[in-house]
Structures are given as C-alpha cells and as structure tokens.
Amino acid sequence: MNGNPLYHGIALVVGTLLVLPLALAMLNGWTPRGLRGRRLAIRPYAWALLCLYGLMPLNAVPRMLDAPSDVVTACTGLGFAFLVAAGACFLRAERASRRPHSTEEG
C-alpha cells in the first residue's frame, strides 16, 4: 500500500520547492505576475495554498515511514479536512474579489 518511499520523497521535495515558497511569499505581500492588476484578496489564496501543501507531508511521510495501513488511511482521511479548508479559502478569496470596493486581504 505504501509504495516506494523514494517516489514519495521526490514528490514531497518537489511540492515543497514549488508550493511552499509561493504561499509564504504571497502571505508576505507578493502578488504573482498573472494576478497583478486584478482586485484580489491575496491572503486567502496563500492560505489555500498552505492548506494544499499540508496534504503533501500528511500523505507522503506515513508512506515513507512504512506506517501501518490504519495510520496511512487516517492521515489520508485527515487530508480531506485540509481540502475543505483550502476550498473555503478559495471561496473566501473569490467572494472578497467580487465585493465592490473590497479592501479585505484576509
């Protein structure tokens, strides 16, 4: 069930290098080039990315450690809470961007 730990490790490293710096930069006020010029609430997008990043170690680490299937299943189930939280953050960002004269950033 756990597969090759090398593949999970590679995916975790790649995800960490791609997603985590972007989310942290957005939390610190940086806006990606494709989103500049739009009236968006960037902070909820950053929190959504952090929630999605939370899924990565939550799913990879138990598999890399060859944890029992109950632990892997529990971590995967807990990952759905991160998905729901990310979805809520994306919805919050969308609502904030549609409000007239929205100044909320998170």
Side-chain angles (χ1 to χ4, degrees):
M1 175 178 177
N2 293 336
N4 188 344
L6 178 65
Y7 296 137
H8 294 291
I10 291 170
L12 184 58
V13 167
V14 169
T16 299
L17 292 175
L18 293 177
V19 177
L20 191 58
L22 177 65
L24 293 177
M26 289 171 69
L27 277 176
N28 286 322
W30 177 76
T31 304
R33 188 176 354 160
L35 298 178
R36 288 184 190 145
R38 297 182 189 176
R39 189 175 42 87
L40 296 174
I42 295 297
R43 277 190 159 315
Y45 281 114
W47 282 111
L49 286 175
L50 285 175
C51 289
L52 292 176
Y53 171 74
L55 286 170
M56 294 176 197
L58 190 62
N59 281 317
V61 172
R63 288 177 169 88
M64 290 169 58
L65 298 176
D66 200 26
S69 62
D70 292 340
V71 173
V72 173
T73 303
C75 288
T76 302
L78 183 60
F80 285 109
F82 282 93
L83 283 175
V84 169
C89 289
F90 281 130
L91 286 174
R92 182 176 180 198
E94 181 63 25
R95 284 185 183 170
S97 68
R98 289 183 182 224
R99 273 190 237 139
H101 307 294
S102 174
T103 59
E104 177 187 356
E105 290 227 356

